[in-house]
Amino acid sequence: MLSSSQPGASKHGQNLNLVFRALGDPTRRELLARLSKGPAMVTELARPFDMSLPAVGKHLRILENAGLIRRTVSGRVHQCALSPLPLKTAGEWLAKYTQFWDETFNSLNEYIRDDNVRE
Amino acid sequence: MLSSSQPGASKHGQNLNLVFRALGDPTRRELLARLSKGPAMVTELARPFDMSLPAVGKHLRILENAGLIRRTVSGRVHQCALSPLPLKTAGEWLAKYTQFWDETFNSLNEYIRDDNVRE
DNA sequence: ATAATAGTAAACCATATGGTTTACTATATC
DNA sequence: GATATAGTAAACCATATGGTTTACTATTAT
């Protein structure tokens, strides 16, 4: 069934791991929401949180490793910007299940059930 | 900016934490893919994996706690079924960023940028 | 030159994840 | 009743997460 190879061995799967795990933390979702309004430096991003600067720095690193933000250093200022493509990837993975969201089990659904949903 | 309250304090946010973290593991995504083709018992679900039954059992528990599967026990058999609503919730969260996916920075995007993306 | 600012690095801690093996419970079968 | 099957429970282990504090580097400002 599904991918016959190892469960998350593909690069694609690895990205999904990093992205979904990154999204699983509320602080990081807040950071993304903030960055959706435009780039910001680290201190600026950290200000709203009741948390040390290094802690926020770590969250940003995780977002960066997931490809969700990019960082440009100029002087001592690290400017962070949203890099939303991985969100699209995640959205596309979820979209494969859209068919199941409306539990109108019609014949189309029947057809889909016989189809493969791949990892 | 965004939610003025605590970062993941809402029940909604808690669900997102559980759901995204559940999706962050390839074994669990495979399990969901398998269940998208119809319900299955635990042993059946575990078979394709090079992993002990208790390990798969734990993954199923995590999926269950995230609301992504339901379990009905009859006799000694635990039947698991996909419960896709939390996927919808996650998809809706992601959908708030759809605007950023196509990097056509038109005037609509400009308008959106002034809008709030909330947690 | 001195001091303040932006940020990372490193050491540390508590708890969570993801896996194992062994033991156990409960149901089904012979 | 004896045995096999389905599955969880519990104890254990290694590593990852999410936070802290202290120390450090590098840039900017006085």
Side-chain angles (χ1 to χ4, degrees):
Chain A
M1 78 222 28
L2 354 117
S3 63
S4 52
S5 58
Q6 300 297 12
S10 67
K11 185 157 187 339
H12 192 78
Q14 179 59 17
N15 285 348
L16 281 177
N17 291 348
L18 293 178
V19 171
F20 279 130
R21 270 155 50 194
L23 295 180
D25 182 277
T27 300
R28 292 194 287 265
R29 288 198 304 277
E30 289 260 7
L31 287 168
L32 291 179
R34 166 63 187 81
L35 288 174
S36 74
K37 290 184 294 228
M41 58 188 288
V42 173
T43 309
E44 217 173 300
L45 290 168
R47 199 172 310 131
F49 295 99
D50 186 20
M51 191 185 301
S52 70
L53 186 60
V56 175
K58 284 196 203 177
H59 283 299
L60 291 172
R61 180 60 45 96
I62 289 170
L63 289 170
E64 201 176 8
N65 288 146
L68 287 163
I69 68 174
R70 281 177 333 239
R71 182 190 305 242
T72 63
V73 180
S74 54
R76 57 182 170 180
V77 174
H78 294 217
Q79 195 82 359
C80 298
L82 189 65
S83 176
L85 253 73
L87 290 176
K88 183 178 188 179
T89 306
E92 280 164 354
W93 186 89
L94 281 178
K96 295 183 302 187
Y97 293 88
T98 313
Q99 2 172 335
F100 301 103
W101 291 352
D102 7 71
E103 52 258 271
T104 56
F105 296 112
N106 48 21
S107 57
L108 174 59
N109 210 314
E110 203 71 20
Y111 165 72
I112 286 162
R113 176 148 307 180
D114 296 331
D115 212 352
N116 264 354
V117 171
R118 294 165 208 82
E119 158 47 350
Chain B
M1 79 214 34
L2 352 117
S3 64
S4 53
S5 59
Q6 300 296 13
S10 68
K11 184 157 187 341
H12 193 77
Q14 179 59 17
N15 285 349
L16 281 178
N17 291 348
L18 293 178
V19 171
F20 279 130
R21 270 156 49 195
L23 296 180
D25 182 275
T27 300
R28 291 193 289 264
R29 287 198 305 277
E30 288 260 8
L31 287 168
L32 291 178
R34 164 64 187 82
L35 288 174
S36 74
K37 290 185 294 224
M41 59 186 289
V42 173
T43 308
E44 217 172 297
L45 290 169
R47 200 172 310 130
F49 295 98
D50 186 20
M51 192 186 299
S52 70
L53 187 61
V56 175
K58 282 196 203 177
H59 283 298
L60 291 171
R61 181 60 45 95
I62 288 171
L63 289 170
E64 200 176 9
N65 288 145
L68 287 163
I69 69 175
R70 280 176 333 238
R71 181 190 305 243
T72 62
V73 180
S74 55
R76 57 182 171 177
V77 174
H78 293 217
Q79 194 84 359
C80 297
L82 189 65
S83 177
L85 255 72
L87 290 176
K88 183 177 187 177
T89 307
E92 281 164 353
W93 187 88
L94 281 178
K96 294 183 302 187
Y97 292 88
T98 313
Q99 1 171 339
F100 302 103
W101 292 352
D102 5 74
E103 51 259 88
T104 55
F105 296 113
N106 48 22
S107 57
L108 174 60
N109 211 315
E110 203 71 20
Y111 164 72
I112 286 161
R113 176 147 306 178
D114 296 331
D115 212 353
N116 264 353
V117 172
R118 293 165 208 80
E119 157 50 347

